[in-house]
Amino acid sequence: MTIFVILTLLVLAAVSIALLYFGRPYWAWVGPVLLGFLVWRAGGVAYSLLFKMTAILAGSAAVLFGLPILRRHLVTRFLMRAVAPFLPRLGDTERIALEAGTVWWDRDLFSGDPDWRKLLDFQAKPLTEKERAFLEGPVEELCGMVDDWEVSKTGDLGPEVWEFLKKHRFLGMIIPEEYGGLGFSAQAHSLVVTKISSRSLVAGVTVMVPNSLGPAELLHHYGTKEQKDYYLPRLATAEEVPCFALTEPEAGSDAASPRSTGIVCRGNYRGKEVLGMRLNWDKRYTTLAPVATVIGLAFRLLDPDRVLGDKKDRGINCALIPADVPGVEIGERHDPLGVPFQIGPTRGHDVFVPLDFLIGGPERIGQGDRPPGLAVAGAELSTRVAGAYATVREQFNMPIGRFEGIEEPLARIGGMTYLMNAARKLTAAAVDAGERPAVISAIVKAYLTEGMRDVVNDAMDIRAGAGIIRGPRNILSRAYQAIPIGITVEGANILTRTMIIFGQGAIRSHPYVQDEIRAVEEKDLKRFDRAFFGHVGSVFRNAVRSMLLGLTFGRLYRAPVEGKLSSFFGRFSRMSAAFALVSDTAMVTLGGDLKRREKLSGRLADVLAWLYLGSSTMKRFVDEGQKECDLPYARWACAHALYKIQVALAGVLDNLENRVAAWILLPFIFPIGDRLRPPSDALGAEVARGLLEDREARLRLTTEIYLPPFHEPGLGRLEAALDRIVEARPVEKKIHQAVRAGKLKKADRKSLIAQAAAAGVITADEQQRIQAADEIRLEVIQVDSFAAKKAPALQ
């Protein structure tokens, strides 16, 4: 009978675990209840009393916790008071951020059980014929007009470039056609910016800002009819050039605490007495401010005389201020590391404007907004340059790309470029589908600009001395100079990572936390009961999922598609469950203090970000037909993302203040230890060889950038050299084989080629081909030099 009880216990325990894995946790009580019932019926067993008591307790708990109407009155009303102190308290900045944007795939990642089929079924809207024609026409023409080296010397785009931008409505890409804009999708906008930025960062920023950080988007979504009818047509044609003034000396990432103010009062505006506001501001880092004619201004509106109602503080607002209003100071420029795009400060002293200048009018007082942005061009340009240069440049009679020391950074360049563009495509597609994914936008901004930093640095290392000599031949120097700009624009990456991504994501994207917070604030017992016990259930499910998937390396998970990347779906699902479990534990043990534990929240942000980047990679690979030539890049990117997730999770467990909780978590998160490793040397070599030898794969990685004509210094000549060298490879092979066979004597390269031609090893045409390749190879490895100016002491 004892054996019967033990076997029954094991079977029902397995059933309970399975129910926890697939269903609601209360069902797991079924196991102990049935076990107790069977033992009870068996009778005569020494342990029957113990099991009877277990069955009674389990059954009582199942009834108490399984029936919501009973649970709410006997348990939840006490729990609600006990849990309230542990829930995060929302400040003004967080509350504003939570009310803006939407939640999308980030909710699935936070749930611990992402619905991969939903992600794979989601498809980007294709570009329209008009968008394709614009990319192939005006965008190509613009890139051909811009000489980035000249721009760096003169400090601005030329007048003809500015005129071209206005004529073709580059500054009005997101403005609807009904208002005279181009009405482009987010996907088209990002492709335009990527291509232009690969040619000139200055031109790219000039086009990007009015279409992402400018007032046009705010006007389109929130403006009054009168504001839209007046401003949008003028913004579309660049008759009005906008800027968006947000950052201040004492208010940067904390956008909800500006020192800029507007005081509600009556005053005279252009000959008429109106109800308005007297504004004072001191803004900096405002892109396009030196050339702007209208300022989108973020400020706090105060109503000390309660003209508008009972409240004195009317919150954060955004208004459109004409640059020619008395009291406005504008026109000065900053110098951002020598990258001469238009950026500068703007100040206002007692500037009086009507309340109607508020975006949305007085009716939208207190409902400010802040748009997001993105970037990829530097990575693709680096991939193109590094792959070509590592083939063209030779040392010790072989291309430098053949050295393992160069293979390593080449692998990072190829893998990261594939991953970054995957995230760009997916995020833009989500925006086109009507989403405004705030947390994902923050991830893309921070981690893609960090990725660009790594990729450009690797490409600069490969270029070595040729990378640090400025001039027309050096196409990476401007991208390298601009790296810190991308890191800090739209919020410094440090704060985005440590405060915004997980700080907002833990509330916005979590399936239950925001409901719990709202329920406590509103004292809604029913809502809190539903959210809290749903949360408890997810904790149990994720604990079981994380352990089982960890023990089986994700093999227990059934992938939504077959293919050579299918095993990664289970691995990322395992990490999603682990992330959800660790996040819940951190929130429970630290409560509201978690947002001040920025090192921990930064590591949790790393996990969420790499889950998203890995998801994007798998979707891109599947969407593009699982091509064999893309497989090394996709595998490298997925392995890299998983390793980054493991490192971040281990960092959280190592530093969680509640050590008991960390020890309890460890077997669920790493049941067989932290076994994941970064991409192997062999996989890295495969990626590097693809960049060097597989022309199709290299082109597919860099389709979005601008390719200049072959005669142009820099990338144009480098591409021409690569083509010549690839054409000459069969000739090289013939000569090497002849030397090994003893048909030719070893000699310097020039003499060896002449020998080969004289001996009939190669034809005269082949001789010309290899000589032409050598000539252009020598040309493109040169660096720029300029007439020296003697120092005064030497004259």
Side-chain angles (χ1 to χ4, degrees):
M1 187 62 69
T2 303
I3 294 174
F4 166 75
V5 171
I6 292 173
L7 290 175
T8 305
L9 176 62
L10 291 174
V11 170
L12 293 177
V15 171
S16 297
I17 290 173
L19 289 170
L20 277 170
Y21 184 87
F22 293 108
R24 296 184 61 183
Y26 312 115
W27 298 353
W29 290 107
V30 172
V33 171
L34 288 178
L35 176 63
F37 177 75
L38 289 171
V39 174
W40 193 326
R41 295 299 297 169
V45 181
Y47 304 111
S48 63
L49 180 61
L50 174 62
F51 281 110
K52 287 176 183 177
M53 292 299 296
T54 302
I56 292 170
L57 290 174
S60 300
V63 171
L64 179 62
F65 288 98
L67 296 177
I69 190 168
L70 187 63
R71 182 180 66 217
R72 281 198 296 271
H73 293 287
L74 297 181
V75 178
T76 307
R77 64 193 186 99
F78 300 106
L79 274 175
M80 192 170 171
R81 288 196 294 268
V83 168
F86 293 94
L87 293 173
R89 297 172 187 264
L90 303 181
D92 288 342
T93 302
E94 295 158 316
R95 200 172 293 278
I96 290 170
L98 288 172
E99 290 169 358
T102 60
V103 178
W104 186 56
W105 180 242
D106 41 328
R107 182 181 290 273
D108 278 74
L109 297 176
F110 248 104
S111 74
D113 186 15
D115 184 350
W116 296 107
R117 175 45 59 191
K118 178 179 76 174
L119 181 67
L120 295 179
D121 286 345
F122 170 76
Q123 293 299 316
K125 295 178 181 177
L127 295 179
T128 65
E129 287 300 320
K130 181 180 176 182
E131 290 169 340
R132 291 186 185 279
F134 191 78
L135 279 163
E136 295 166 4
V139 175
E140 284 283 326
E141 191 175 347
L142 172 66
C143 289
M145 292 173 65
V146 177
D147 183 334
D148 201 38
W149 175 243
E150 283 299 314
V151 171
S152 70
K153 289 194 298 180
T154 60
D156 195 10
L157 300 170
E160 71 284 355
V161 174
W162 278 104
E163 189 58 37
F164 188 85
L165 292 174
K166 293 177 180 180
K167 176 183 176 182
H168 291 279
R169 309 197 176 193
F170 277 86
L171 307 190
M173 284 192 292
I174 65 166
I175 295 174
E177 292 181 86
E178 64 193 274
Y179 293 105
L182 297 178
F184 281 178
S185 64
Q187 188 81 273
H189 171 218
S190 73
L191 286 170
V192 169
V193 171
T194 297
K195 178 166 282 192
I196 297 172
S197 298
S198 72
R199 177 60 162 175
S200 167
L201 181 75
V202 174
V205 171
T206 302
V207 170
M208 180 190 72
V209 167
N211 291 289
S212 59
L213 293 175
E217 185 179 9
L218 297 180
L219 276 171
H220 175 51
H221 289 295
Y222 308 116
T224 64
K225 184 180 186 304
E226 292 77 11
Q227 288 172 339
K228 292 178 183 180
D229 290 344
Y230 179 81
Y231 273 113
L232 289 180
R234 288 168 170 79
L235 291 171
T237 60
E239 181 181 343
E240 299 278 6
V241 177
C243 67
F244 188 74
L246 179 68
T247 304
E248 304 175 2
E250 295 185 86
S253 296
D254 188 2
S257 302
R259 303 299 190 270
S260 301
T261 59
I263 306 296
V264 176
C265 61
R266 299 195 70 83
N268 187 285
Y269 183 75
R270 297 189 175 173
K272 293 183 180 179
E273 184 178 326
V274 295
L275 180 62
M277 48 196 171
R278 194 167 302 282
L279 297 157
N280 287 275
W281 72 85
D282 181 6
K283 302 287 187 177
R284 60 182 182 180
Y285 311 151
T286 305
T287 305
L288 292 186
V291 296
T293 61
V294 61
I295 305 164
L297 182 72
F299 64 97
R300 183 174 293 279
L301 183 65
L302 303 173
D303 184 11
D305 297 329
R306 294 186 170 89
V307 176
L308 303 176
D310 293 335
K311 293 171 62 176
K312 289 186 177 182
D313 187 339
R314 311 297 294 191
I316 309 304
N317 291 268
C318 186
L320 291 176
I321 313 298
D324 61 354
V325 173
V328 174
E329 293 181 12
I330 197 166
E332 293 180 355
R333 289 183 68 174
H334 298 311
D335 180 3
L337 291 175
V339 182
F341 63 93
Q342 296 286 345
I343 183 171
T346 174
R347 302 175 186 89
H349 304 284
D350 291 334
V351 177
F352 181 81
V353 294
L355 279 180
D356 289 341
F357 281 28
L358 289 163
I359 293 181
E363 292 76 17
R364 277 194 59 83
I365 286 176
Q367 301 182 50
D369 195 12
R370 183 183 180 185
L374 70 104
V376 164
E380 289 199 12
L381 180 63
S382 298
T383 300
R384 195 91 185 192
V385 172
Y389 191 78
T391 302
V392 170
R393 182 76 165 112
E394 291 189 354
Q395 290 286 277
F396 307 104
N397 296 317
M398 64 186 293
I400 62 171
R402 301 295 179 190
F403 294 98
E404 289 193 0
I406 301 296
E407 273 187 356
E408 196 169 16
L410 274 177
R412 289 195 295 266
I413 289 170
M416 285 300 297
T417 299
Y418 186 89
L419 174 145
M420 290 165 64
N421 207 9
R424 180 197 66 80
K425 290 179 178 182
L426 181 58
T427 308
V431 174
D432 286 337
E435 300 290 344
R436 296 182 63 207
V439 173
I440 286 174
S441 293
I443 289 171
V444 168
K445 186 273 164 184
Y447 288 80
L448 265 60
T449 52
E450 291 293 342
M452 181 184 72
R453 173 169 22 203
D454 294 339
V455 168
V456 173
N457 277 336
D458 278 333
M460 289 288 284
D461 286 347
I462 291 171
R463 293 270 288 174
I468 64 171
I469 305 301
R470 297 178 63 211
R473 287 184 173 95
N474 191 345
I475 47 222
L476 287 182
S477 62
R478 273 85 75 192
Y480 182 75
Q481 282 177 272
I483 287 172
I485 298 169
I487 300 298
T488 57
V489 168
E490 299 180 60
N493 282 1
I494 289 176
L495 293 182
T496 301
R497 172 182 175 264
T498 57
M499 296 180 67
I500 295 176
I501 293 173
F502 186 77
Q504 286 189 26
I507 300 171
R508 180 199 293 273
S509 307
H510 194 287
Y512 302 104
V513 168
Q514 189 166 182
D515 271 350
E516 290 169 338
I517 293 172
R518 301 291 189 200
V520 168
E521 289 178 346
E522 298 166 10
K523 295 182 171 53
D524 186 335
L525 185 64
K526 187 175 182 179
R527 183 179 182 182
F528 179 81
D529 177 84
R530 185 170 57 250
F532 180 81
F533 283 97
H535 195 163
V536 170
S538 75
V539 169
F540 279 96
R541 283 196 303 276
N542 286 326
V544 173
R545 286 174 57 79
S546 179
M547 176 176 280
L548 291 182
L549 291 174
L551 287 170
T552 61
F553 295 97
R555 293 187 182 91
L556 190 64
Y557 191 86
R558 184 176 180 181
V561 292
E562 296 295 326
K564 294 184 179 179
L565 215 62
S566 59
S567 62
F568 283 102
F569 287 99
R571 298 177 203 177
F572 279 104
S573 291
R574 173 230 170 163
M575 289 304 188
S576 174
F579 167 65
L581 184 59
V582 171
S583 297
D584 283 330
T585 304
M587 285 189 281
V588 167
T589 57
L590 291 170
D593 286 340
L594 179 56
K595 67 180 180 182
R596 288 181 285 276
R597 300 293 193 271
E598 294 169 20
K599 295 175 186 176
L600 286 179
S601 64
R603 293 185 182 104
L604 290 166
D606 290 341
V607 181
L608 180 58
W610 287 105
L611 280 169
Y612 180 71
L613 297 174
S615 302
S616 304
T617 299
M618 292 191 293
K619 176 166 174 56
R620 176 183 179 181
F621 184 71
V622 172
D623 283 353
E624 295 180 355
Q626 305 194 52
K627 290 182 170 59
E628 192 69 27
C629 64
D630 291 340
L631 183 60
Y633 305 98
R635 287 179 57 219
W636 191 99
C638 287
H640 180 70
L642 286 168
Y643 180 70
K644 287 284 193 179
I645 292 169
Q646 176 182 269
V647 170
L649 286 172
V652 175
L653 295 183
D654 288 344
N655 294 280
L656 199 62
E657 291 182 10
N658 190 319
R659 299 313 301 156
V660 173
W663 294 333
I664 293 171
L665 279 178
L666 190 61
F668 292 97
I669 307 304
F670 300 120
I672 53 176
D674 49 351
R675 303 292 296 275
L676 295 176
R677 294 294 176 263
S680 67
D681 289 348
L683 179 56
E686 195 175 350
V687 172
R689 282 196 301 273
L691 289 180
L692 297 172
E693 299 172 2
D694 190 337
R695 185 173 181 80
E696 181 189 350
R698 181 169 168 270
L699 293 177
R700 282 170 58 77
L701 275 179
T702 58
T703 53
E704 286 83 6
I705 68 171
Y706 172 72
L707 293 179
F710 279 174
H711 67 266
E712 186 176 296
L715 184 57
R717 295 304 287 158
L718 186 58
E719 288 290 316
L722 181 63
D723 283 355
R724 292 282 181 86
I725 288 165
V726 170
E727 287 174 5
R729 275 178 180 166
V731 186
E732 292 264 11
K733 189 175 181 181
K734 284 185 179 182
I735 294 174
H736 288 314
Q737 288 174 343
V739 171
R740 284 198 298 269
K743 295 180 181 179
L744 299 175
K745 293 180 180 179
K746 290 184 179 180
D748 65 83
R749 185 171 180 82
K750 191 173 181 180
S751 300
L752 189 60
I753 292 171
Q755 250 191 92
V761 173
I762 61 175
T763 66
D765 179 67
E766 289 174 329
Q767 182 182 15
Q768 288 180 356
R769 198 184 312 164
I770 196 169
Q771 286 173 339
D774 284 351
E775 286 174 9
I776 196 169
R777 185 200 308 271
L778 182 62
E779 175 195 336
V780 298
I781 64 173
Q782 302 302 317
V783 296
D784 294 291
S785 59
F786 308 94
K789 292 182 180 179
K790 289 186 178 180
L794 300 177
Q795 290 179 351

